[in-house]
Amino acid sequence: MRALDFNKKWVLVTGASSGLGYEMAQQLAYQYHANLIIAARRADKLNQLKADLERDAHVQVKVIVADLSVSADVERLIAECLNGQELYAAVLNAGITHFGPHADLAQDDFERLVQTNVISVVRITGELVKHFETSGAEGGIMIVSSMAGIFPVPYQAAYSGTKSFLIGFANALAHEIKSRTLSLTIFAPGGIVTEMTATEQFNDLQGWLMPVKQAAKEGIYALKSRKFNYVPGALNRLGNIFMNLLPKKLIVGILARTYQRSLEKVSPAGKAKS
Ligand SMILES: NC(=O)c1ccc[n+]([C@@H]2O[C@H](COP(=O)([O-])OP(=O)(O)OC[C@H]3O[C@@H](n4cnc5c(N)ncnc54)[C@H](OP(=O)(O)O)[C@@H]3O)[C@@H](O)[C@H]2O)c1
């Protein structure tokens, strides 16, 4: 399959109001001249991004204000993406976490986590794959997972589960796709400097985090060059190989102690909230 060419094509980026999604939207517009459909809950941030990109990057931008934990919003987003303009690529990036003991995660918040990180992604991916298969159009879909989906992170147990689900789902689904012009990419970053990691519970872990510009650049590279599973950062990739050689219990135990220490600096009882 030839590499994707985003020039003047429509690309959906969910979770574009901050962090990785915001940065990928910027790079797709300025460096690749893509037209964008940007989605998230915060209308003010999306409208500001639209104004900036239309004025300075000279691309077209469509805003979809949607709460992806609400299925009616997910259906509206799908309809708006598939009607009106030809969708070329999608970056399914919106996601949330809970950092703290699993016992502190209220059932409602857990359900919102699963709706946002898993159910919306499965629904959108399924509909986009059908669309590309039926139309025969060229395109690419990238699902943003996490290294926490490869090596589960204690104190982000539910989050790790959602990201692991995405890796399993997308790796399996990719083999069901018959189109020769549609690629499915699974992007699994380690920690990144974004709003998600801006809370004081992450203070002790800041040294591990990758600058968001680098993560975004590698994400777009992975989508564009139709990588299948992609971990950004040479150190992360090396770590991934190395950790795979060791017993999972040992690795996850080390992660548990590291994350617990960071949490305890904020709340000695380990009761920090997300
Ligand atoms: N930061 C990390 O260390 C890290 C590491 C690996 C993977 N990731 C993944 O990277 C992705 C982006 O995260 P980030 O680090 O950039 O975090 P972030 O800065 O908090 O951005 C999350 C984005 O998702 C959107 N979002 C959250 N809940 C939503 C909902 N219910 N409906 C619609 N949009 C929603 C947010 O927009 P609104 O609040 O405006 O809705 C925001 O634009 C996530 O999938 C995350 O799991 C992050």
Side-chain angles (χ1 to χ4, degrees), residues 145-152 160 163-164 167 188 231 240 244 248:
S145 176
S146 167
M147 282 183 81
I150 304 170
F151 290 96
S160 297
K163 293 296 174 179
S164 189
I167 292 173
V231 173
N240 203 18
N244 262 308
K248 200 167 223 172

Side-chain angles (χ1 to χ4, degrees), residues 14-22 24 39-46 66-70 92-97 112 115-117 144-148 159 162-163 166 187-197 202 209 212:
T14 70
S17 61
S18 71
L20 183 61
Y22 178 85
M24 283 198 277
R41 291 166 300 181
R42 284 172 289 177
D44 55 336
K45 302 256 182 203
L46 294 178
D67 182 343
L68 298 179
S69 69
V70 175
L92 304 183
N93 160 78
I96 50 173
T97 190
R112 198 167 305 117
Q115 290 280 355
T116 308
N117 291 11
V144 177
S145 176
S146 167
M147 282 183 81
Y159 172 78
T162 64
K163 293 296 174 179
L166 293 181
F187 186 54
I192 312 167
V193 182
T194 65
E195 281 184 15
M196 185 178 274
T197 51
F202 279 93
L209 305 181
V212 69

Side-chain angles (χ1 to χ4, degrees), residues 33-49:
H33 313 291
N35 293 325
L36 295 171
I37 305 173
I38 51 175
R41 291 166 300 181
R42 284 172 289 177
D44 55 336
K45 302 256 182 203
L46 294 178
N47 286 325
Q48 185 62 55
L49 181 59

Side-chain angles (χ1 to χ4, degrees), residues 96-250:
I96 50 173
T97 190
H98 162 79
F99 186 26
H102 181 69
D104 288 355
L105 178 60
Q107 182 62 17
D108 282 358
D109 291 334
F110 169 66
E111 288 179 13
R112 198 167 305 117
L113 182 71
V114 173
Q115 290 280 355
T116 308
N117 291 11
V118 172
I119 296 180
S120 78
V121 176
V122 171
R123 177 69 184 151
I124 298 167
T125 305
E127 289 306 293
L128 294 189
V129 167
K130 262 190 233 163
H131 166 78
F132 280 105
E133 296 260 53
T134 310
S135 67
E138 178 180 78
I141 301 170
M142 185 164 82
I143 291 178
V144 177
S145 176
S146 167
M147 282 183 81
I150 304 170
F151 290 96
V153 175
Y155 304 101
Q156 289 193 88
Y159 172 78
S160 297
T162 64
K163 293 296 174 179
S164 189
F165 179 102
L166 293 181
I167 292 173
F169 167 69
N171 272 277
L173 180 68
H175 290 279
E176 296 182 25
I177 295 176
K178 298 192 176 51
S179 165
R180 299 247 171 240
T181 52
L182 172 66
S183 48
L184 184 56
T185 296
I186 301 110
F187 186 54
I192 312 167
V193 182
T194 65
E195 281 184 15
M196 185 178 274
T197 51
T199 64
E200 56 180 358
Q201 293 108 302
F202 279 93
N203 279 354
D204 227 31
L205 306 165
Q206 292 298 323
W208 291 17
L209 305 181
M210 174 181 277
V212 69
K213 280 188 194 311
Q214 185 192 342
K217 183 177 172 192
E218 293 202 39
I220 296 170
Y221 162 77
L223 171 65
K224 182 178 167 53
S225 49
R226 300 178 183 276
K227 298 286 180 204
F228 188 21
N229 286 275
Y230 194 82
V231 173
L235 271 180
N236 284 338
R237 284 192 290 276
L238 258 179
N240 203 18
I241 294 167
F242 179 68
M243 290 193 297
N244 262 308
L245 300 174
L246 297 170
K248 200 167 223 172
K249 195 172 174 190
L250 176 74

